[in-house]
Coordinates of all heavy atoms in Angstrom, one line a residue:
M1 N -13.1 -9.5 -3.3 CA -12.0 -10.5 -3.5 C -11.0 -9.9 -4.5 O -11.4 -9.4 -5.5 CB -12.6 -11.8 -4.1 CG -11.5 -12.8 -4.3 SD -10.8 -13.6 -2.9 CE -12.1 -14.6 -2.2
P2 N -9.8 -9.8 -4.1 CA -8.8 -9.2 -5.0 C -8.5 -10.0 -6.2 O -8.6 -11.2 -6.2 CB -7.5 -9.1 -4.1 CG -7.7 -10.1 -3.0 CD -9.2 -10.2 -2.8
A3 N -8.3 -9.3 -7.3 CA -8.0 -10.0 -8.6 C -6.7 -10.6 -8.5 O -6.4 -11.6 -9.2 CB -8.1 -9.0 -9.7
Y4 N -5.7 -10.1 -7.7 CA -4.4 -10.6 -7.7 C -4.1 -11.1 -6.2 O -4.4 -10.4 -5.3 CB -3.4 -9.5 -8.0 CG -3.5 -9.0 -9.4 CD1 -4.3 -7.9 -9.7 CD2 -2.9 -9.6 -10.5 CE1 -4.5 -7.5 -11.0 CE2 -3.1 -9.2 -11.8 CZ -3.9 -8.1 -12.0 OH -4.0 -7.6 -13.3
V5 N -3.5 -12.2 -6.1 CA -3.1 -12.7 -4.8 C -1.6 -13.0 -4.9 O -1.1 -13.7 -5.8 CB -3.8 -14.0 -4.4 CG1 -3.4 -14.5 -3.1 CG2 -5.3 -13.8 -4.4
Y6 N -0.8 -12.4 -4.0 CA 0.6 -12.5 -4.0 C 1.0 -13.0 -2.6 O 0.4 -12.8 -1.6 CB 1.3 -11.2 -4.2 CG 1.0 -10.6 -5.5 CD1 0.2 -9.5 -5.7 CD2 1.6 -11.1 -6.7 CE1 -0.1 -9.0 -6.9 CE2 1.3 -10.6 -7.9 CZ 0.5 -9.5 -8.0 OH 0.2 -9.0 -9.3
M7 N 2.2 -13.6 -2.5 CA 2.8 -14.0 -1.2 C 3.1 -12.7 -0.5 O 3.7 -11.8 -1.0 CB 4.0 -14.8 -1.4 CG 4.6 -15.3 -0.1 SD 6.0 -16.4 -0.4 CE 7.3 -15.2 -0.7
Q8 N 2.6 -12.7 0.7 CA 2.8 -11.5 1.5 C 4.0 -11.7 2.5 O 4.0 -12.6 3.3 CB 1.5 -11.2 2.3 CG 1.5 -9.9 3.0 CD 0.2 -9.7 3.6 OE1 -0.8 -9.7 2.9 NE2 0.1 -9.5 4.9
L9 N 5.0 -10.8 2.4 CA 6.2 -11.0 3.3 C 6.0 -10.2 4.6 O 6.4 -10.7 5.6 CB 7.4 -10.5 2.5 CG 7.7 -11.2 1.2 CD1 8.9 -10.6 0.5 CD2 7.9 -12.7 1.4
A10 N 5.4 -9.0 4.6 CA 5.1 -8.3 5.8 C 3.9 -8.9 6.5 O 3.0 -9.3 5.8 CB 4.9 -6.8 5.4
S11 N 3.9 -8.9 7.8 CA 2.8 -9.4 8.5 C 1.6 -8.4 8.5 O 1.8 -7.2 8.2 CB 3.2 -9.7 10.0 OG 3.3 -8.5 10.7
E12 N 0.4 -8.9 8.7 CA -0.7 -8.0 8.7 C -0.6 -7.0 9.8 O -1.0 -5.8 9.6 CB -2.0 -8.8 8.9 CG -3.3 -8.0 8.8 CD -4.6 -8.8 8.7 OE1 -4.5 -10.0 8.5 OE2 -5.6 -8.1 8.9
D13 N -0.1 -7.3 10.9 CA 0.1 -6.4 12.0 C 1.1 -5.3 11.6 O 0.9 -4.1 11.9 CB 0.7 -7.0 13.3 CG -0.4 -7.8 14.0 OD1 -1.6 -7.6 13.7 OD2 -0.1 -8.7 14.8
E14 N 2.2 -5.6 10.9 CA 3.2 -4.6 10.4 C 2.5 -3.7 9.4 O 2.7 -2.5 9.4 CB 4.4 -5.3 9.8 CG 5.2 -6.1 10.7 CD 6.3 -7.0 10.0 OE1 6.0 -7.5 9.0 OE2 7.4 -7.1 10.6
I15 N 1.7 -4.3 8.5 CA 1.0 -3.5 7.5 C 0.0 -2.5 8.2 O -0.1 -1.4 7.8 CB 0.3 -4.4 6.4 CG1 1.4 -5.1 5.7 CG2 -0.5 -3.5 5.5 CD1 0.9 -6.2 4.7
K16 N -0.8 -3.0 9.2 CA -1.7 -2.2 9.9 C -1.0 -1.0 10.6 O -1.5 0.1 10.5 CB -2.5 -3.0 10.9 CG -3.6 -3.8 10.4 CD -4.3 -4.5 11.5 CE -5.4 -5.5 10.9 NZ -6.1 -6.3 11.9
K17 N 0.1 -1.3 11.2 CA 0.8 -0.3 11.9 C 1.3 0.8 10.9 O 1.2 2.0 11.2 CB 2.0 -0.9 12.6 CG 2.8 0.1 13.5 CD 3.9 -0.6 14.2 CE 4.7 0.4 15.0 NZ 5.8 -0.2 15.8
A18 N 1.8 0.4 9.8 CA 2.3 1.3 8.7 C 1.1 2.1 8.2 O 1.2 3.3 7.9 CB 3.0 0.5 7.6
F19 N 0.0 1.4 7.9 CA -1.2 2.1 7.4 C -1.6 3.2 8.4 O -1.8 4.3 8.0 CB -2.3 1.1 7.2 CG -3.6 1.6 6.6 CD1 -3.8 1.7 5.3 CD2 -4.6 2.1 7.4 CE1 -4.9 2.2 4.7 CE2 -5.8 2.6 6.9 CZ -5.9 2.7 5.5
K20 N -1.7 2.9 9.6 CA -2.2 3.9 10.6 C -1.1 5.0 10.7 O -1.5 6.2 10.9 CB -2.4 3.2 12.0 CG -3.6 2.4 12.0 CD -3.9 1.8 13.4 CE -5.0 0.8 13.4 NZ -6.3 1.5 13.2
G21 N 0.2 4.6 10.7 CA 1.2 5.6 10.7 C 1.2 6.6 9.5 O 1.7 7.7 9.6
G22 N 0.8 6.1 8.4 CA 0.8 6.9 7.2 C -0.5 7.7 7.0 O -0.5 8.6 6.2
D23 N -1.5 7.4 7.8 CA -2.8 8.1 7.7 C -2.8 9.4 8.4 O -3.2 9.5 9.5 CB -3.9 7.1 8.2 CG -5.3 7.7 8.1 OD1 -5.5 8.7 7.3 OD2 -6.2 7.2 8.7
D24 N -2.2 10.4 7.8 CA -1.9 11.7 8.4 C -3.2 12.4 8.9 O -3.2 13.1 9.9 CB -1.2 12.6 7.5 CG 0.2 12.1 7.2 OD1 0.8 11.4 8.0 OD2 0.8 12.4 6.1
D25 N -4.3 12.2 8.1 CA -5.5 13.0 8.5 C -6.5 12.1 9.3 O -7.6 12.6 9.7 CB -6.2 13.5 7.2 CG -6.6 12.5 6.2 OD1 -6.4 11.3 6.5 OD2 -6.9 12.9 5.1
G26 N -6.1 10.9 9.6 CA -6.9 10.0 10.5 C -8.3 9.6 10.0 O -9.2 9.3 10.7
D27 N -8.4 9.5 8.6 CA -9.7 9.1 8.0 C -9.8 7.7 7.6 O -10.7 7.3 7.0 CB -10.0 10.0 6.9 CG -9.1 9.9 5.7 OD1 -8.1 9.1 5.8 OD2 -9.3 10.5 4.6
D28 N -8.8 6.9 8.1 CA -8.8 5.4 7.8 C -8.7 5.1 6.3 O -9.1 4.0 5.9 CB -10.0 4.7 8.4 CG -9.9 4.7 9.9 OD1 -8.8 4.6 10.5 OD2 -11.0 4.8 10.6
T29 N -8.2 6.0 5.6 CA -7.8 5.8 4.2 C -6.5 6.5 3.9 O -6.1 7.3 4.6 CB -8.9 6.3 3.2 OG1 -9.0 7.8 3.4 CG2 -10.3 5.7 3.4
L30 N -5.9 6.1 2.8 CA -4.6 6.6 2.4 C -4.7 7.2 1.0 O -5.1 6.6 0.1 CB -3.5 5.6 2.4 CG -3.1 4.9 3.7 CD1 -2.0 3.9 3.4 CD2 -2.7 5.9 4.8
S31 N -4.2 8.5 0.9 CA -4.0 9.1 -0.4 C -2.7 8.4 -1.0 O -2.0 7.7 -0.2 CB -3.8 10.6 -0.3 OG -2.7 10.9 0.4
V32 N -2.3 8.7 -2.2 CA -1.1 8.2 -2.7 C 0.1 8.7 -1.9 O 1.0 8.0 -1.6 CB -0.9 8.5 -4.2 CG1 0.4 8.2 -4.8 CG2 -2.0 7.8 -5.1
S33 N 0.1 10.0 -1.6 CA 1.2 10.6 -0.8 C 1.3 10.0 0.6 O 2.4 9.7 1.1 CB 1.1 12.1 -0.8 OG 0.0 12.5 -0.1
E34 N 0.1 9.7 1.2 CA 0.1 9.0 2.5 C 0.6 7.6 2.4 O 1.3 7.1 3.2 CB -1.3 9.0 3.1 CG -1.7 10.4 3.6 CD -3.2 10.4 4.1 OE1 -4.0 9.7 3.5 OE2 -3.5 11.0 5.1
A35 N 0.3 6.9 1.2 CA 0.7 5.6 1.0 C 2.3 5.6 0.9 O 2.9 4.6 1.3 CB 0.1 5.0 -0.2
V36 N 2.8 6.6 0.2 CA 4.3 6.7 0.1 C 4.9 6.7 1.5 O 5.9 5.9 1.8 CB 4.7 7.9 -0.6 CG1 6.2 8.2 -0.5 CG2 4.3 7.8 -2.1
N37 N 4.3 7.5 2.4 CA 4.8 7.5 3.8 C 4.6 6.2 4.5 O 5.5 5.8 5.3 CB 4.1 8.6 4.6 CG 4.4 10.0 4.1 OD1 5.5 10.2 3.5 ND2 3.5 11.0 4.3
A38 N 3.5 5.6 4.3 CA 3.2 4.3 5.0 C 4.2 3.2 4.5 O 4.6 2.4 5.3 CB 1.8 3.8 4.7
V39 N 4.5 3.2 3.2 CA 5.4 2.2 2.6 C 6.8 2.4 3.3 O 7.5 1.5 3.6 CB 5.5 2.3 1.1 CG1 6.7 1.6 0.5 CG2 4.2 1.8 0.5
E40 N 7.2 3.7 3.4 CA 8.5 4.0 4.0 C 8.5 3.5 5.5 O 9.5 2.9 6.0 CB 8.8 5.5 4.0 CG 10.2 5.8 4.4 CD 10.7 7.2 4.1 OE1 9.9 7.9 3.4 OE2 11.8 7.5 4.5
K41 N 7.4 3.7 6.2 CA 7.3 3.2 7.6 C 7.4 1.7 7.7 O 8.0 1.1 8.6 CB 6.0 3.7 8.3 CG 6.0 5.2 8.6 CD 4.7 5.6 9.2 CE 4.6 7.1 9.3 NZ 5.7 7.8 9.9
L42 N 6.8 1.0 6.7 CA 6.8 -0.5 6.6 C 8.2 -1.0 6.2 O 8.6 -2.0 6.9 CB 5.7 -0.9 5.6 CG 5.6 -2.4 5.4 CD1 5.1 -3.1 6.7 CD2 4.6 -2.7 4.3
S43 N 8.8 -0.5 5.2 CA 9.9 -1.1 4.6 C 11.2 -0.4 4.8 O 12.3 -0.9 4.6 CB 9.7 -1.3 3.1 OG 9.7 0.0 2.5
G44 N 11.1 0.9 5.2 CA 12.3 1.7 5.3 C 12.8 2.2 4.0 O 13.8 3.0 3.9
R45 N 12.1 1.9 2.9 CA 12.4 2.3 1.5 C 11.5 3.5 1.2 O 10.3 3.5 1.4 CB 12.2 1.2 0.5 CG 13.2 0.1 0.8 CD 13.3 -0.9 -0.3 NE 13.8 -0.2 -1.5 CZ 13.7 -0.7 -2.7 NH1 13.2 -1.9 -2.9 NH2 14.1 0.0 -3.8
S46 N 12.1 4.5 0.5 CA 11.4 5.6 0.0 C 11.1 5.4 -1.5 O 12.0 5.4 -2.3 CB 12.2 6.9 0.2 OG 11.4 8.0 -0.2
L47 N 9.8 5.2 -1.8 CA 9.4 5.1 -3.2 C 8.6 6.3 -3.6 O 8.0 7.0 -2.8 CB 8.4 3.9 -3.3 CG 8.9 2.5 -2.9 CD1 7.8 1.5 -3.0 CD2 10.2 2.1 -3.6
D48 N 8.8 6.7 -4.9 CA 8.1 7.9 -5.3 C 6.6 7.6 -5.6 O 6.2 6.4 -5.7 CB 8.8 8.6 -6.4 CG 8.9 7.8 -7.7 OD1 8.0 7.0 -8.0 OD2 9.8 8.1 -8.5
E49 N 5.8 8.6 -5.8 CA 4.4 8.5 -6.0 C 4.1 7.7 -7.3 O 3.1 6.9 -7.3 CB 3.7 9.8 -6.0 CG 3.6 10.4 -4.7 CD 2.7 11.7 -4.6 OE1 1.9 11.9 -5.6 OE2 2.7 12.4 -3.6
D50 N 4.9 7.8 -8.3 CA 4.7 7.1 -9.6 C 4.8 5.6 -9.4 O 4.0 4.9 -10.0 CB 5.7 7.5 -10.6 CG 5.5 9.0 -11.1 OD1 4.3 9.4 -11.0 OD2 6.4 9.6 -11.6
V51 N 5.6 5.1 -8.5 CA 5.7 3.7 -8.2 C 4.5 3.2 -7.5 O 3.9 2.1 -7.8 CB 7.0 3.4 -7.4 CG1 7.0 1.9 -6.9 CG2 8.2 3.7 -8.1
I52 N 4.0 4.0 -6.5 CA 2.7 3.6 -5.8 C 1.6 3.7 -6.8 O 0.7 2.7 -6.8 CB 2.5 4.6 -4.6 CG1 3.7 4.5 -3.7 CG2 1.2 4.3 -4.0 CD1 3.9 3.2 -3.0
K53 N 1.5 4.7 -7.6 CA 0.4 4.8 -8.6 C 0.4 3.6 -9.6 O -0.6 3.0 -9.9 CB 0.5 6.1 -9.4 CG 0.1 7.3 -8.6 CD 0.3 8.6 -9.5 CE -0.1 9.8 -8.7 NZ 0.1 11.0 -9.4
A54 N 1.6 3.2 -10.0 CA 1.7 2.0 -10.9 C 1.3 0.8 -10.2 O 0.6 -0.1 -10.8 CB 3.1 1.9 -11.4
A55 N 1.6 0.6 -9.0 CA 1.2 -0.6 -8.2 C -0.3 -0.6 -8.1 O -1.0 -1.6 -8.2 CB 1.9 -0.6 -6.9
C56 N -0.9 0.6 -7.8 CA -2.4 0.7 -7.7 C -3.0 0.3 -9.0 O -4.0 -0.4 -9.0 CB -2.7 2.2 -7.3 SG -2.4 2.6 -5.6
D57 N -2.5 0.8 -10.1 CA -3.1 0.5 -11.4 C -3.0 -1.0 -11.7 O -3.9 -1.6 -12.2 CB -2.3 1.3 -12.5 CG -2.6 2.8 -12.5 OD1 -3.6 3.2 -11.9 OD2 -1.8 3.5 -13.1
S58 N -1.9 -1.6 -11.2 CA -1.7 -3.0 -11.5 C -2.7 -3.9 -10.8 O -3.0 -5.0 -11.2 CB -0.3 -3.5 -11.1 OG 0.7 -2.9 -12.0
V59 N -3.1 -3.5 -9.6 CA -4.1 -4.3 -8.8 C -5.5 -3.7 -8.8 O -6.4 -4.2 -8.1 CB -3.6 -4.5 -7.4 CG1 -2.3 -5.3 -7.3 CG2 -3.5 -3.2 -6.6
G60 N -5.7 -2.7 -9.7 CA -7.1 -2.2 -9.8 C -7.6 -1.2 -8.7 O -8.8 -1.1 -8.5
V61 N -6.6 -0.6 -8.1 CA -7.0 0.4 -7.0 C -7.0 1.8 -7.7 O -5.9 2.2 -8.1 CB -6.1 0.3 -5.8 CG1 -6.4 1.4 -4.8 CG2 -6.1 -1.0 -5.1
P62 N -8.1 2.4 -7.8 CA -8.2 3.8 -8.4 C -7.4 4.8 -7.6 O -7.5 4.8 -6.3 CB -9.6 4.1 -8.4 CG -10.4 2.9 -8.0 CD -9.5 2.0 -7.3
T63 N -6.6 5.6 -8.2 CA -5.8 6.6 -7.5 C -6.6 7.9 -7.5 O -6.1 8.9 -7.0 CB -4.4 6.8 -8.2 OG1 -4.6 7.2 -9.6 CG2 -3.6 5.6 -8.0
S64 N -7.8 8.0 -8.1 CA -8.6 9.2 -8.0 C -9.3 9.4 -6.7 O -9.9 10.4 -6.5 CB -9.7 9.1 -9.1 OG -10.5 7.9 -8.9
R65 N -9.1 8.4 -5.8 CA -9.7 8.5 -4.5 C -8.7 7.8 -3.5 O -7.7 7.2 -4.0 CB -11.0 7.8 -4.4 CG -11.0 6.3 -4.7 CD -12.2 5.5 -4.3 NE -12.2 4.2 -4.7 CZ -11.5 3.2 -4.1 NH1 -10.8 3.5 -3.1 NH2 -11.6 1.9 -4.6
E66 N -8.9 7.9 -2.2 CA -8.0 7.3 -1.3 C -8.3 5.8 -1.1 O -9.5 5.4 -1.3 CB -8.2 8.0 0.1 CG -7.7 9.5 0.0 CD -7.5 10.1 1.3 OE1 -8.0 9.6 2.4 OE2 -6.8 11.2 1.3
M67 N -7.3 5.1 -0.8 CA -7.4 3.6 -0.7 C -7.7 3.2 0.8 O -7.2 3.9 1.7 CB -6.2 2.9 -1.2 CG -4.9 3.1 -0.4 SD -3.5 2.4 -1.2 CE -3.0 3.7 -2.3
D68 N -8.5 2.1 0.9 CA -8.7 1.6 2.3 C -7.7 0.6 2.6 O -6.7 0.3 1.8 CB -10.1 1.0 2.4 CG -10.4 -0.2 1.5 OD1 -9.4 -0.9 1.0 OD2 -11.6 -0.5 1.2
F69 N -7.8 0.0 3.8 CA -6.7 -0.9 4.3 C -6.6 -2.1 3.4 O -5.5 -2.5 3.0 CB -7.0 -1.4 5.7 CG -6.0 -2.4 6.2 CD1 -4.7 -2.0 6.5 CD2 -6.3 -3.7 6.3 CE1 -3.7 -2.9 6.9 CE2 -5.4 -4.6 6.7 CZ -4.1 -4.3 7.1
D70 N -7.7 -2.8 3.0 CA -7.6 -3.9 2.1 C -6.9 -3.6 0.8 O -6.2 -4.4 0.3 CB -9.0 -4.5 1.9 CG -9.6 -5.2 3.1 OD1 -8.8 -5.6 4.0 OD2 -10.8 -5.2 3.2
E71 N -7.2 -2.5 0.2 CA -6.6 -2.0 -1.0 C -5.1 -1.8 -0.8 O -4.2 -2.2 -1.6 CB -7.2 -0.8 -1.6 CG -8.7 -1.1 -2.1 CD -9.5 0.2 -2.4 OE1 -9.3 1.2 -1.7 OE2 -10.3 0.1 -3.2
F72 N -4.7 -1.2 0.3 CA -3.3 -1.0 0.7 C -2.6 -2.3 0.8 O -1.5 -2.5 0.3 CB -3.2 -0.2 2.0 CG -1.8 0.1 2.4 CD1 -1.0 0.9 1.6 CD2 -1.3 -0.4 3.6 CE1 0.3 1.2 2.0 CE2 0.0 -0.1 4.0 CZ 0.8 0.7 3.2
V73 N -3.2 -3.3 1.3 CA -2.6 -4.7 1.4 C -2.3 -5.2 0.0 O -1.3 -5.8 -0.3 CB -3.5 -5.7 2.2 CG1 -3.0 -7.1 2.1 CG2 -3.6 -5.2 3.7
Q74 N -3.3 -5.0 -0.9 CA -3.1 -5.4 -2.3 C -1.9 -4.7 -2.9 O -1.1 -5.4 -3.6 CB -4.3 -5.2 -3.1 CG -5.5 -6.0 -2.8 CD -6.7 -5.6 -3.6 OE1 -6.6 -5.4 -4.8 NE2 -7.8 -5.3 -2.9
V75 N -1.8 -3.4 -2.7 CA -0.7 -2.7 -3.2 C 0.7 -3.1 -2.6 O 1.6 -3.4 -3.4 CB -0.9 -1.1 -2.9 CG1 0.4 -0.3 -3.3 CG2 -2.1 -0.6 -3.8
I76 N 0.7 -3.4 -1.3 CA 1.9 -3.9 -0.7 C 2.3 -5.2 -1.2 O 3.5 -5.5 -1.5 CB 1.7 -3.9 0.9 CG1 1.6 -2.5 1.5 CG2 2.9 -4.7 1.5 CD1 2.8 -1.6 1.2
S77 N 1.3 -6.1 -1.4 CA 1.6 -7.4 -1.9 C 2.2 -7.4 -3.3 O 3.1 -8.1 -3.7 CB 0.3 -8.3 -1.9 OG -0.1 -8.5 -0.6
H78 N 1.6 -6.4 -4.1 CA 2.2 -6.3 -5.5 C 3.6 -5.7 -5.4 O 4.5 -6.2 -6.2 CB 1.3 -5.3 -6.3 CG 1.8 -5.1 -7.7 ND1 1.6 -6.0 -8.7 CD2 2.4 -4.0 -8.2 CE1 2.2 -5.5 -9.8 NE2 2.7 -4.3 -9.5
L79 N 3.8 -4.7 -4.6 CA 5.2 -4.2 -4.5 C 6.2 -5.2 -4.0 O 7.3 -5.3 -4.5 CB 5.2 -3.0 -3.5 CG 4.5 -1.7 -4.0 CD1 4.3 -0.7 -2.9 CD2 5.2 -1.1 -5.2
E80 N 5.8 -6.1 -3.1 CA 6.6 -7.2 -2.6 C 6.9 -8.2 -3.7 O 8.0 -8.6 -3.9 CB 6.0 -7.9 -1.4 CG 6.0 -7.1 -0.2 CD 5.3 -7.8 1.0 OE1 4.4 -8.7 0.8 OE2 5.6 -7.4 2.1
S81 N 5.9 -8.5 -4.5 CA 6.1 -9.4 -5.6 C 7.0 -8.9 -6.7 O 7.7 -9.7 -7.4 CB 4.7 -9.8 -6.3 OG 4.3 -8.8 -7.1
K82 N 7.1 -7.6 -6.8 CA 8.0 -7.0 -7.8 C 9.4 -6.6 -7.2 O 10.2 -5.9 -7.8 CB 7.4 -5.7 -8.4 CG 6.1 -6.0 -9.1 CD 6.4 -6.9 -10.3 CE 5.1 -7.2 -11.1 NZ 5.3 -8.1 -12.2
N83 N 9.6 -7.1 -5.9 CA 10.8 -6.8 -5.2 C 11.1 -5.3 -5.0 O 12.2 -4.8 -5.0 CB 12.0 -7.5 -5.8 CG 11.9 -9.0 -5.7 OD1 11.5 -9.5 -4.7 ND2 12.3 -9.6 -6.8
N84 N 10.0 -4.5 -4.9 CA 10.1 -3.1 -4.7 C 10.2 -2.8 -3.2 O 10.5 -1.6 -2.8 CB 9.0 -2.3 -5.3 CG 9.1 -2.2 -6.8 OD1 10.1 -2.2 -7.3 ND2 7.9 -2.2 -7.4
L85 N 10.0 -3.8 -2.3 CA 10.1 -3.6 -0.9 C 11.1 -4.5 -0.3 O 11.4 -5.5 -0.8 CB 8.7 -3.9 -0.2 CG 7.6 -2.9 -0.6 CD1 6.3 -3.3 0.3 CD2 7.9 -1.5 -0.3

């Protein structure tokens, strides 16, 4: 259960499509750099890795490993709540 719950503006289908599109190595997880690509596919905005890392830190997603889909949803929700998307 996520520690933070935010209003989600992007649909789950849109987030899944972006997640899969950003997963360059096809391992069903995203590195920070892959998450940058996925966010751009989702929102059309290019965010740098530091913004993604800060969002990960804010929702408790470790950046020392790749994030799964549920963690990516938490990161997206956080970014949306901060009007970064």
Side-chain angles (χ1 to χ4, degrees):
M1 180 69 72
Y4 298 91
V5 178
Y6 298 106
M7 184 174 80
Q8 186 175 305
L9 302 177
S11 73
E12 186 171 344
D13 286 342
E14 291 170 324
I15 297 171
K16 280 182 186 176
K17 184 176 178 181
F19 183 89
K20 289 182 185 292
D23 184 15
D24 294 333
D25 56 11
D27 65 355
D28 292 325
T29 60
L30 298 179
S31 65
V32 171
S33 64
E34 288 174 322
V36 168
N37 293 335
V39 166
E40 188 168 354
K41 289 177 187 312
L42 178 65
S43 68
R45 295 194 58 194
S46 182
L47 302 179
D48 65 30
E49 288 190 12
D50 290 337
V51 173
I52 301 297
K53 287 178 183 177
C56 288
D57 289 344
S58 293
V59 297
V61 173
T63 57
S64 59
R65 60 167 176 76
E66 295 194 343
M67 68 186 84
D68 63 21
F69 177 73
D70 291 334
E71 292 168 328
F72 181 64
V73 170
Q74 291 176 49
V75 170
I76 293 301
S77 294
H78 179 76
L79 291 169
E80 288 178 338
S81 76
K82 299 295 180 184
N83 294 319
N84 287 328
L85 295 184

